[in-house]
Every structure is written in structure tokens, then in C-alpha cells.
Amino acid sequence: QQIKARELVKQSVNALKSFDFENGLLYAINAEALDSGYTKATYHLAAVQLRLGMAKDALDTLERLQKENPGDKAANLALLTAYIDTY
């Protein structure tokens, strides 16, 4: 599942580079939905959501990640940074 999630994240990045925001978001959602334990897919989804002005969705995504991984300093930092960026 992680390999599939990584591939979807790559496809999302490539779509965003081509200004194909709809598919970039869809690939990110699909990568995160695999629930593979590949947390980079969740970080990527939140980053895409922030980039597209979907601040509430991004904060919800990062809050869920932080709740699932309370001791993960990167998750805590990502959530804090998102709060600051969207303030």
C-alpha cells in the first residue's frame, strides 16, 4: 500500500507542477485514503489543501494526523505551522 501511496503522491506533485490542481488534489486524497501508514501522504494532502485555499480542510487533516500520532514532533510542528499560516 505504501508503494501505491508514494506513486500517487508523485502523480499529485507532477499534476500540481503542470497547474492541474484538480487532479493534484485527487491524487493526494487517494494517496492519503489508502491508510497505508505513509504519513507523507497526509502531509502532502494538507499542503495541497493549504495551497488551494482549503485552510479548514488542511487543519482538519493535520489535527487528525496529530491525534493519530500524538508523540510525532513533525505532526505537531506541521499543525502549529498551519495554524500560524492561516491566522
Side-chain angles (χ1 to χ4, degrees), residues 5-57:
R6 286 180 189 160
E7 183 58 35
L8 287 168
V9 168
K10 285 181 188 177
Q11 289 176 325
S12 174
V13 169
N14 289 334
L16 293 170
K17 285 180 182 177
S18 300
F19 301 100
D20 183 358
F21 300 114
E22 183 177 341
N23 280 321
L25 178 60
L26 288 175
Y27 288 133
I29 289 169
N30 289 335
E32 203 271 336
L34 287 174
D35 197 27
S36 65
Y38 184 57
T39 56
K40 287 186 179 183
T42 306
Y43 290 122
H44 178 70
L45 174 59
V48 171
Q49 290 168 325
L50 283 171
R51 183 174 177 186
L52 297 179
M54 303 168 64
K56 171 105 173 71
D57 294 317

Side-chain angles (χ1 to χ4, degrees), residues 43-84:
Y43 290 122
H44 178 70
L45 174 59
V48 171
Q49 290 168 325
L50 283 171
R51 183 174 177 186
L52 297 179
M54 303 168 64
K56 171 105 173 71
D57 294 317
L59 291 172
D60 289 345
T61 298
L62 290 170
E63 286 172 356
R64 183 173 36 80
L65 177 66
Q66 192 272 336
K67 284 179 185 171
E68 292 171 359
N69 303 285
D72 185 346
K73 291 180 184 178
N76 293 331
L77 180 61
L79 180 58
L80 177 63
T81 302
Y83 276 127
I84 291 169

